């Protein structure tokens, strides 16, 4: 199971898409392993999508760098 991210790379908003998946929240982590955001799922015809506007849970812009995404309930 892989999450498609577009556009990649980006300096702004991201869209995550996962086919054949349950509509669960998606947690985003920075390179230090800190959860920076939890995204609400949107069911689409092609699967599930999550949108990220570039701000963390407090509304501050996320610093440039690598982000890791994990659907809730996933152990990977």
């Amino acid at each position: 199971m892989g999450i498609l991210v577009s556009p990649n790379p980006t300096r702004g908003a991201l869209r995550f898409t996962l086919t054949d998946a349950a509509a669960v929240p998606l947690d985003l982590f920075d390179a230090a392993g800190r959860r920076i955001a939890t995204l609400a799922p949107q069911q689409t015809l092609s699967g599930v999508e999550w949108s990220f506007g570039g701000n963390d849970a407090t509304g501050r812009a996320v610093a440039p760098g690598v982000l890791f995404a994990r659907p809730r309930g996933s152990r990977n």
Side-chain angles (χ1 to χ4, degrees), residues 1-19:
M1 161 174 57
I3 296 176
L4 302 174
V5 181
S6 64
N8 187 11
T10 185
R11 289 184 172 258
L14 290 170
R15 178 178 295 126
F16 299 87
T17 305
L18 186 57
T19 58

Side-chain angles (χ1 to χ4, degrees), residues 15-18 21-27 38-44 47-52 70-72:
R15 178 178 295 126
F16 299 87
T17 305
L18 186 57
V24 297
L26 183 73
D27 291 322
T38 299
L39 310 179
Q42 297 175 328
Q43 191 71 48
T44 67
V48 180
E49 288 187 358
W50 300 266
S51 295
F52 178 61
R70 182 174 60 205
R72 286 270 173 99

Side-chain angles (χ1 to χ4, degrees), residues 3 6 13 18 27 33 36 45-46 58 60 62 65-66 70:
I3 296 176
S6 64
L18 186 57
D27 291 322
I36 59 164
L45 294 176
S46 61
T58 65
R60 291 185 296 224
V62 172
V66 175
R70 182 174 60 205

